[in-house]
Amino acid sequence: MVTTLEAARTVLTAPEDFVLPYDVSRQPVRRHGREAKDTPPLAPEAVAVGAAVFAEELAHTAVPVESTEIDTLVLLRDPVARSTTAAMLPALGIADRDRIAGLVLAWVDSLGPVISAARPPRRWSAHRRAEHSARRRLIGALQEVGSAEAPALATALAAGVQVPIASGAWCLTQLAARPDLHRLIREDPELAVPFVWEVLRLFPPTWVLPRIAVADSVLQGTEVPAYTPVLVSPLALGLLPRLVPGPDAGSSPLGELDPLRWIGTDRRPGAWLPFGAGPHACPGRNLGLAQLARLVEWSADLALHVDHPPTVNADRGLSPRPSLVRAHRRRHAG
């Protein structure tokens, strides 16, 4: 595992030297000879469309005045999927958008057993057949609505849905576990974005980025033979004092979630590469940030609590376990 930002950037920005071993469905990537293409972030107009749809979907989410139990991973499925689909396919009507979003979620669900299995399932196993069928339906639907790059778009949609759902669940469960922090953000909405960065730092859904060295190389002064697996971990990078203000800068310990560490500092949130880097960086990173910020803003009208702080479920990236919170609408004075 690389442990410096320089080595991480070297690995992630040189796809001809450090290749992806598997695709999203844990199938070996065999087309390393193709020229890698950069994946620029979504245009600001697309982000605005997706963020507006996300806010609208949340506004339609009914949370009663009386306390009720909410599974945060379930709560965010439709808002995130519809928002991401709207951003990537802005010309779609609402019916087609929701249909595509549903197929994206179906494929993401079918990928779960494949990703969490101890070994990649065999080609004709039940899990592999279910995943192949869900992916084929999604690609077919994208082709029907005129997508010229349906397979690549399907992969981008799946990634753009999985990460915000998991990160959003962390946002809500952490706010429920820290009513003092929730109150602080409610009193100062400017802390919503720093809070999101802290969640992405301590609970990055994609917490490890694997690569394979194509040829002999040197990383961090260490010789790395060809065909050696190389791991970049945003989670590990996010605990480096050089990248994150900690006790040496008068802030909280790096293992604590504290959005105040980003106030009045010249260090840049996201330096620990939560969205990757290079040709395979997440193109939906700006949309994901917008979704999470709006989620935190939406939560200001809720009272959230949990009986016990969640632990980490690492079966499919990092997600909270349990993902349940109790919530009710706050009664405003007057």
Side-chain angles (χ1 to χ4, degrees), residues 184-194 296-297:
L184 188 65
I185 295 172
R186 190 180 293 121
E187 294 170 353
D188 184 1
E190 297 284 329
L191 290 175
V193 172
V296 176
E297 293 166 2

Coordinates of all heavy atoms in Angstrom, one line a residue, residues 184-194 296-297:
L184 N -25.0 22.2 16.0 CA -24.0 23.2 15.5 C -24.2 23.5 14.0 O -24.1 24.7 13.6 CB -22.6 22.6 15.8 CG -21.4 23.6 15.5 CD1 -21.4 24.7 16.5 CD2 -20.1 22.8 15.6
I185 N -24.4 22.5 13.2 CA -24.6 22.7 11.8 C -25.9 23.4 11.5 O -26.1 24.2 10.6 CB -24.6 21.3 11.0 CG1 -23.2 20.7 11.2 CG2 -24.9 21.5 9.6 CD1 -23.0 19.3 10.6
R186 N -26.9 23.1 12.3 CA -28.2 23.7 12.2 C -28.1 25.2 12.5 O -28.7 26.1 11.8 CB -29.2 23.1 13.2 CG -30.7 23.5 12.9 CD -31.6 22.9 13.9 NE -31.7 21.4 13.7 CZ -31.4 20.5 14.6 NH1 -30.9 20.8 15.8 NH2 -31.5 19.2 14.3
E187 N -27.3 25.6 13.5 CA -27.1 27.0 13.8 C -26.2 27.7 12.8 O -26.3 28.9 12.7 CB -26.5 27.1 15.2 CG -27.4 26.6 16.3 CD -26.7 26.4 17.7 OE1 -25.5 26.6 17.7 OE2 -27.4 26.2 18.7
D188 N -25.3 26.9 12.2 CA -24.3 27.5 11.2 C -24.3 26.7 10.0 O -23.5 25.8 9.8 CB -22.9 27.6 11.8 CG -21.9 28.3 10.9 OD1 -22.4 28.7 9.8 OD2 -20.8 28.4 11.2
P189 N -25.3 26.9 9.0 CA -25.4 26.1 7.8 C -24.1 26.1 7.0 O -23.9 25.2 6.2 CB -26.5 26.8 7.0 CG -27.3 27.5 8.1 CD -26.3 28.0 9.1
E190 N -23.2 27.0 7.2 CA -21.9 27.1 6.5 C -21.1 25.8 6.8 O -20.1 25.5 6.0 CB -21.1 28.3 6.8 CG -21.8 29.6 6.4 CD -21.6 29.9 4.9 OE1 -20.6 29.4 4.3 OE2 -22.6 30.5 4.4
L191 N -21.4 25.1 7.9 CA -20.6 23.9 8.3 C -21.1 22.7 7.5 O -20.4 21.6 7.7 CB -20.7 23.7 9.8 CG -20.0 24.7 10.7 CD1 -20.3 24.4 12.1 CD2 -18.5 24.7 10.4
A192 N -22.1 22.8 6.7 CA -22.6 21.6 6.0 C -21.6 21.0 5.1 O -21.3 19.8 5.1 CB -23.9 21.9 5.3
V193 N -20.9 21.8 4.3 CA -19.9 21.3 3.4 C -18.7 20.8 4.1 O -18.2 19.7 3.8 CB -19.6 22.4 2.3 CG1 -18.4 21.9 1.5 CG2 -20.8 22.7 1.5
P194 N -18.1 21.5 5.1 CA -17.0 20.9 5.8 C -17.4 19.6 6.5 O -16.6 18.7 6.6 CB -16.7 22.0 6.9 CG -17.1 23.3 6.2 CD -18.3 22.9 5.5
V296 N -27.6 17.3 4.1 CA -27.4 17.8 5.4 C -28.3 19.0 5.7 O -28.8 19.2 6.8 CB -25.9 18.2 5.6 CG1 -25.6 18.9 6.9 CG2 -25.0 17.0 5.4
E297 N -28.5 19.9 4.7 CA -29.4 21.0 4.8 C -30.8 20.5 5.1 O -31.5 21.1 5.9 CB -29.3 21.9 3.5 CG -28.0 22.5 3.3 CD -27.8 23.1 1.9 OE1 -28.8 23.0 1.1 OE2 -26.8 23.7 1.6

